[in-house]
Amino acid sequence: MLQSKSQKPVHHALRACSGAMLAIFLVSAVVNVLMLTGPLFMLQIYDRVLASSSVPTLVVLAGIAIGLYLMGGMLDILRLRALNRIAMRVYARLSGPAFRANMRMPVLMGRRAAGMAPHRDLEAIRRFLGSPGPAAIFDMPFMPFYFLLIFLFHAWLGTLAVVGGVVIACLVITNEYLSRGPSRELSGTSGAQSRLMGAARRNAEVLTSMGMFDSLSRRYSGAVEEHYLRQQAMTDHSNFFSSVIKMLRLMLQSAMLGLGAFLVIQQEITAGVMIAASIIMARALAPIEQAVSHWPSFVAARQAAGRFDEAVQACGDPAATEGLPAPTETLRVEGLATAAPGEQAPLLQGVGFELRAGDGLGVVGPSGAGKTSFARALMGIWPALHGSVRLDGATLDQWPEAERGRFVGYLPQDVELFDGTVAENICRFAAEPDIMAILKAAKLAGIHQMVTALPEGYETVIGENGARLSAGQRQRIGLARALFGDPFLVMLDEPNSNLDMVGERALTTAIGEVRARGGIVVVIAHRPSALTALNKVLMIQDGQQVQFGDRDEVLDKVVPVTKASGSREMQFDAV
């Protein structure tokens, strides 16, 4: 179901850990009470042990203090371990939505997705949740408790502590306000750097063969320098406020000692109270100083959570009808208009036709006419600005995505394979692959002998993007993947662009087999020879439907038969 705008995945993941966080808060309360061990021990030393010169009292107090210190240390270790487990639990809960959003953003958000990387945002959230930063946040609510204790010692001491706390709190708020912009810019430069690195990795062959390494290296160096400058500015900003707050804390601690000494001289407090008040105030302000030191990661995590929520919500599944049967009869396109994701200017419009089970449609037209745009709209990859694509009367988005994949096969113009075995790529990485269905798809695509000739047959690992295979082999494995499971609708975008004569014959046979079992095949072609096994043709030109009808009738209008050979040899680019 499509998530409502009020739903925030990060918020929901954190709420799922609310019980653990409540436990951490209670542990933090005990830890903060145990933090009084040092001040109270000093108070007893100055006011009781030194006054009485009692060694047994000193030994007992020291034993109690050691026990309390050990308990506090163990609870603090437990708290940090719990925070780390919460971080990993949130990460595990959101990793699925992050992967899904990362996959769907380019086709749903277009250029808006350029600055988003859900997996990187999730990693920023995990790093902060697993750091000591949240522990400092859990300690902050106990600051008034420490200030109250100082007030109980003496009103002047309490007033000094509160004034110092207010000044430091103002600095924290100022730091928060001023760090938003630099943190956002830093995230942008980090994303640009990562995108350039990814593009260079994907196009390593082009960079190597065409001598583009130095040019891209200079551009990457420029991106690194920009990121370095932003990182430097952010670090300088954080270090400035951290140093100022640390300086104020030390000054306040000394001021507390000075005021305490004055009150001791006036015989209003004891020396032990003077020391204890100074230590308690330092403890009260310590969470603020620690929080400021982790402030960049906190701001980065908060902004990452906002981007993550936006990406996941934008990439949510539309409402689907459970139990809707797979289509078996018709494909109907009604006044279809489409545009690139995130754009409003249509690249294709006015397309309408109907195909029945067993039909094969060839989509022809010159380069840039809108054929690939049509294929993406037909598969539901690109949004329909107007009109609809219906299978047996239902639009594609009425089926859940996983169920829709069982009756749709797609071979894109640029075939992308995944790092895995040949069998895994053919069966679309199914959890429980059907080996007979894999063999059937491979034989239908005419690659069974080719695959068995590989070193490990169907279990051969092909590497990232099929690096171990030729372009033709990748295309034919992609064809087998599109045919896997006997889908009702098969969309092939220039399936013969890298095929030899044997591959073209296998393609023609495969198209005939799909039609014979009652499926519908749509083929985008640049050469009339690819239309041999089809019975319908759709002509697209300048983003508009020009012709639709029986194959020979349409081709006679757009590509006349050559008298010398009695065949159509012209490519549609020349039409």
Side-chain angles (χ1 to χ4, degrees):
M1 299 294 290
L2 183 64
Q3 292 179 322
S4 66
K5 294 297 182 182
S6 62
Q7 289 181 320
K8 296 184 177 181
V10 176
H11 176 71
H12 281 246
L14 292 175
R15 283 192 61 183
C17 302
S18 57
M21 289 186 176
L22 177 60
I24 292 176
F25 179 79
L26 295 177
V27 170
S28 297
V30 177
V31 168
N32 278 272
V33 171
L34 292 175
M35 285 296 177
L36 296 174
T37 300
L40 295 180
F41 181 68
M42 296 290 290
L43 179 63
Q44 295 300 316
I45 291 295
Y46 274 89
D47 292 350
R48 185 182 299 273
V49 174
L50 293 181
S52 64
S53 300
S54 173
V55 174
T57 302
L58 176 61
V59 172
V60 171
L61 290 174
I64 294 174
I66 291 173
L68 294 176
Y69 277 129
L70 290 173
M71 183 181 298
M74 292 176 61
L75 289 176
D76 198 39
I77 293 173
L78 178 64
R79 179 171 64 165
L80 292 175
R81 293 184 66 179
L83 285 171
N84 185 58
R85 279 154 179 76
I86 287 176
M88 293 308 301
R89 184 177 176 183
V90 170
Y91 183 85
R93 184 184 180 92
L94 296 178
S95 58
F99 180 81
R100 183 176 185 82
N102 195 65
M103 175 187 67
R104 293 174 62 89
M105 278 193 314
V107 297
L108 293 178
M109 301 178 67
R111 291 184 296 179
R112 287 175 53 208
M116 293 184 174
H119 60 287
R120 192 170 62 240
D121 291 334
L122 181 57
E123 181 63 24
I125 296 170
R126 185 201 64 78
R127 281 199 305 268
F128 174 73
L129 291 177
S131 72
I137 294 176
F138 276 108
D139 287 339
M140 283 185 178
F142 300 99
M143 290 175 58
F145 168 68
Y146 291 119
F147 290 153
L148 178 61
L149 285 178
I150 297 174
F151 262 109
L152 292 177
F153 289 152
H154 197 280
W156 287 14
L157 296 177
T159 300
L160 177 61
V162 170
V163 170
V166 169
V167 172
I168 292 179
C170 291
L171 287 174
V172 170
I173 295 173
T174 303
N175 178 38
E176 152 69 11
Y177 178 77
L178 296 179
S179 63
R180 292 179 181 177
S183 179
R184 195 175 297 111
E185 293 173 355
L186 180 63
S187 176
T189 57
S190 176
Q193 185 177 334
S194 298
R195 288 193 299 273
L196 186 56
M197 176 66 77
R201 181 182 178 88
R202 289 192 302 270
N203 296 278
E205 294 181 2
V206 175
L207 298 182
T208 302
S209 62
M210 301 182 68
M212 296 173 61
F213 177 81
D214 290 341
S215 300
L216 266 294
S217 179
R218 285 192 296 270
R219 174 167 291 193
Y220 182 74
S221 297
V224 170
E225 183 178 358
E226 180 70 16
H227 179 70
Y228 168 77
L229 293 175
R230 300 295 183 185
Q231 179 72 58
Q232 189 179 55
M234 187 69 182
T235 303
D236 290 345
H237 173 91
S238 176
N239 289 342
F240 171 78
F241 278 91
S242 180
S243 298
V244 169
I245 290 174
K246 181 179 180 180
M247 176 189 68
L248 284 177
R249 182 179 65 81
L250 294 175
M251 290 175 62
L252 285 170
Q253 194 169 354
S254 297
M256 185 68 72
L257 282 173
L259 179 58
F262 173 77
L263 294 175
V264 170
I265 293 173
Q266 298 296 318
Q267 297 184 350
E268 295 188 28
I269 62 172
T270 64
V273 169
M274 174 188 70
I275 299 297
S278 177
I279 297 175
I280 291 174
M281 193 195 67
R283 171 57 196 164
L285 299 179
I288 296 181
E289 184 178 350
Q290 189 175 13
V292 170
S293 67
H294 290 90
W295 204 258
S297 60
F298 168 70
V299 173
R302 188 182 60 189
Q303 293 179 350
R307 291 191 301 268
F308 185 90
D309 287 339
E310 180 185 356
V312 171
Q313 289 174 6
C315 298
D317 284 334
T321 303
E322 297 292 340
L324 195 66
T328 58
E329 298 179 0
T330 62
L331 165 65
R332 189 167 70 251
V333 177
E334 302 173 334
L336 180 64
T338 189
E343 305 291 337
Q344 293 300 318
L347 298 176
L348 178 76
Q349 55 189 332
V351 178
F353 59 86
E354 182 173 350
L355 299 176
R356 304 197 65 82
D359 281 340
L361 173 68
V363 183
V364 301
S367 296
K371 301 187 298 298
T372 297
S373 299
F374 165 73
R376 290 167 176 164
L378 189 67
M379 292 290 100
I381 300 171
W382 279 15
L385 299 180
H386 303 289
S388 61
V389 177
R390 296 182 179 273
L391 293 172
D392 288 2
T395 56
L396 285 174
D397 57 12
Q398 292 185 40
W399 282 277
E401 188 176 275
E403 186 176 337
R404 186 170 71 237
R406 296 191 181 98
F407 58 80
V408 171
Y410 179 45
L411 176 66
Q413 191 174 41
D414 298 319
V415 181
E416 295 281 351
L417 299 179
F418 297 92
D419 189 4
T421 66
V422 174
E424 287 174 328
N425 275 274
I426 293 176
C427 73
R428 309 177 187 184
F429 287 84
E432 298 179 359
D434 182 350
I435 186 61
M436 298 307 296
I438 294 173
L439 293 174
K440 180 179 179 180
K443 290 178 179 178
L444 187 58
I447 63 169
H448 179 67
Q449 292 183 346
M450 179 195 81
V451 174
T452 54
L454 294 174
E456 297 177 45
Y458 283 88
E459 296 303 313
T460 301
V461 177
I462 62 177
E464 185 177 356
N465 196 27
R468 296 181 59 180
L469 306 174
S470 68
Q473 289 175 319
R474 288 197 297 270
Q475 192 163 43
R476 296 178 71 179
I477 291 177
L479 175 61
R481 180 178 63 186
L483 298 173
F484 176 78
D486 293 335
F488 172 68
L489 174 61
V490 178
M491 174 76 239
L492 309 177
D493 191 351
E494 296 191 36
N496 59 345
S497 59
N498 294 304
L499 300 184
D500 54 16
M501 292 183 62
V502 174
E504 290 219 25
R505 284 197 297 270
L507 173 63
T508 301
T509 302
I511 293 173
E513 290 287 342
V514 173
R515 293 184 58 196
R517 62 171 172 76
I520 293 177
V521 184
V522 180
V523 180
I524 293 178
H526 272 285
R527 298 195 298 267
S529 59
L531 309 180
T532 305
L534 306 173
N535 65 322
K536 302 284 186 179
V537 168
L538 170 68
M539 177 75 178
I540 296 177
Q541 193 165 4
D542 298 326
Q544 298 274 353
Q545 176 175 323
V546 177
Q547 298 280 344
F548 171 75
D550 291 337
R551 181 192 63 188
D552 293 336
E553 180 182 341
V554 174
L555 291 183
D556 284 342
K557 295 178 181 179
V558 298
V559 186
V561 176
T562 302
K563 293 182 180 180
S565 62
S567 62
R568 297 180 176 92
E569 297 177 352
M570 183 185 298
Q571 291 196 8
F572 293 110
D573 283 341
V575 176

